[in-house]
Amino acid sequence: MLPRRAALLAMSGSMAGASAAKAQSPDHFHRIQWAAFRNRFMAPEGRIIDTGNDHVSHTEGQGWAMLAAVRADDRASFEKLHRWTNRTLRRQGDELFAWRFRPGAARPVDDPNNATDGDLFIAWALLEAGRRWGRADCTTQGTAMARDILRLLCAQAGPFTVLLPGSQGFQRTDHTVVNPSYYAFPAIRALAMALPDPAWLRLAADGVALLRASRFGRWGLPPDWLTIRHADGALALPGDWAPRFSYDAVRVPLYLAWVGLADEPALIGPADFWSDRQHRHMPAWTDLTNDGISPYAASPGITEVARLTRALRERSRWLADRPVGALDMPNYYSAALSLLAGLAAWDSGMA
């Protein structure tokens, strides 16, 4: 299947329509899952706390929580999340958000750069809130964010139209740095519906092509970070980050599963990696240069993403196998992955 065809499937109106319809009738499991996540990781003012990272907050967590709150029809929590994010992280001069808040620091928001994945999810959540609750202000803000994502975060790198990880710092003299896990195809689909523009299809098609071309190591896995050389489009692992399929790249198969792209190599590779019977435990990561794996097991959240990919590959249903509890949420990121896996299963018809 050509990348353009895969991108069209990922952005198909029929699947998006089904997602919107389901968003109006959230399942019981998601309500329970969201309540457990909210009660543990959301501060009273609407800040999502990353318990594994010095209790910072960032736009990925705000965006994921905002979307989950909409899907659970939890308007009170959504409004707290939205209000805190707007008041604390909104940038001057565009419709994007500063990526991080550090509690207790002299300047809690000390880096004005954005994180594109967070912006995609915030915009998506705003658009869904606008539809669900008749919030014209949310629809307007989500559409304005979509416009600035196209304007500020799409660039050409070699033969690819790419999604920059942030507006600053990723376009170097001879190469561009991208994060494959920032290609949140379900969010891109939602923004394309709100702000129709052929650029979305180019972005999605080249994103699929990039994922197909950037497979490394024994299992053919996408990396956490990737460089694209401007002169010829050559792909390589950057020296600035560990050369791993790890906590970022785990979201690549998640987002492909979310839009039903079961036959993409960037989903098949991780599914094979996680189910390799030679592992003594399910690894949290692998080094893409030597195929070494983490000495410890993957978190429950990564395990849920692995179950989701396996269910999609087997054309079976994804079902929660136990109630949500403290053992399922050892930290913010693991819990967030479990939350997202449930939403992905719901949207893609596997739940």
Side-chain angles (χ1 to χ4, degrees):
M1 181 186 295
L2 295 175
R4 182 180 176 87
R5 173 65 174 158
L8 284 168
L9 288 175
M11 299 172 69
S12 65
S14 59
M15 182 175 288
S19 299
K22 287 186 175 184
Q24 300 304 314
S25 56
D27 68 328
H28 182 61
F29 171 76
H30 175 60
R31 288 180 183 270
I32 295 173
Q33 183 96 335
W34 161 243
F37 183 91
R38 177 197 63 206
N39 294 343
R40 182 156 185 193
F41 301 107
M42 191 175 106
E45 68 272 20
R47 178 172 80 87
I48 299 299
I49 300 170
D50 185 343
T51 56
N53 186 19
D54 296 327
H55 288 71
V56 305
S57 296
H58 26 64
T59 49
E60 70 171 33
Q62 298 303 119
W64 293 341
M66 287 168 68
L67 181 66
V70 176
R71 295 298 184 88
D73 201 21
D74 183 356
R75 185 167 181 173
S77 294
F78 172 85
E79 290 181 351
K80 288 182 180 179
L81 291 158
H82 183 204
R83 187 163 49 247
W84 184 88
T85 305
N86 264 344
R87 183 179 65 245
T88 310
L89 299 177
R90 198 160 185 176
R91 303 196 326 172
Q92 298 295 319
D94 59 46
E95 298 296 328
L96 308 179
F97 290 88
W99 73 282
R100 183 183 62 187
F101 173 88
R102 296 191 300 151
R107 294 178 56 210
V109 183
D110 60 351
D111 183 354
N113 208 7
N114 73 299
T116 301
D117 60 335
D119 287 325
L120 283 168
F121 272 90
I122 291 171
W124 183 12
L126 287 166
L127 293 169
E128 289 213 0
R131 285 196 302 271
R132 175 182 285 279
W133 297 312
R135 289 276 304 270
D137 61 320
C138 289
T139 301
T140 298
Q141 185 180 3
T143 304
M145 289 188 69
R147 187 173 295 110
D148 272 358
I149 287 169
L150 281 184
R151 181 173 69 91
L152 299 173
L153 302 173
C154 293
Q156 197 69 25
F160 301 104
T161 299
V162 300
L163 188 66
L164 295 174
S167 60
Q168 301 294 324
F170 297 97
Q171 292 176 291
R172 313 286 174 81
T173 302
D174 62 349
H175 68 275
T176 292
V177 179
V178 297
N179 186 315
S181 75
Y182 282 22
Y183 283 85
F185 293 108
I188 292 170
R189 177 181 63 196
L191 272 57
M193 292 178 65
L195 183 72
D197 191 307
W200 294 115
L201 182 56
R202 291 195 302 273
L203 186 67
D206 281 9
V208 171
L210 194 62
L211 291 177
R212 290 181 180 180
S214 57
R215 292 179 288 138
F216 297 86
R218 172 182 169 187
W219 294 276
L221 299 171
D224 289 342
W225 293 89
L226 181 73
T227 64
I228 307 170
R229 194 161 59 197
H230 296 158
D232 55 7
L235 306 178
L237 299 171
D240 308 44
W241 291 272
R244 291 177 176 174
F245 169 82
S246 182
Y247 298 102
D248 276 10
V250 67
R251 302 195 303 257
V252 171
L254 169 65
Y255 296 148
L256 290 171
W258 205 318
V259 292
L261 293 178
D263 298 322
E264 284 301 312
L267 183 144
I268 296 171
D272 291 344
F273 167 66
W274 285 318
S275 60
D276 192 323
R277 294 185 178 181
Q278 294 187 29
H279 297 323
R280 294 184 178 181
H281 55 258
M282 180 182 289
W285 51 261
T286 180
D287 186 314
L288 297 173
T289 63
N290 61 24
D291 298 325
I293 64 170
S294 63
Y296 49 87
S299 68
I302 294 176
T303 300
E304 288 306 302
V305 175
R307 288 205 311 120
L308 179 72
T309 60
R310 184 165 58 249
L312 187 64
R313 292 293 298 155
E314 296 171 353
R315 304 301 197 268
S316 61
R317 296 182 70 79
W318 179 94
L319 298 171
D321 58 2
R322 58 189 181 280
V324 179
L327 293 178
D328 302 292
M329 298 188 299
N331 57 55
Y332 147 80
Y333 189 59
S334 177
L337 289 177
S338 296
L339 188 68
L340 295 173
L343 290 174
W346 186 251
D347 279 7
S348 58
M350 288 188 290

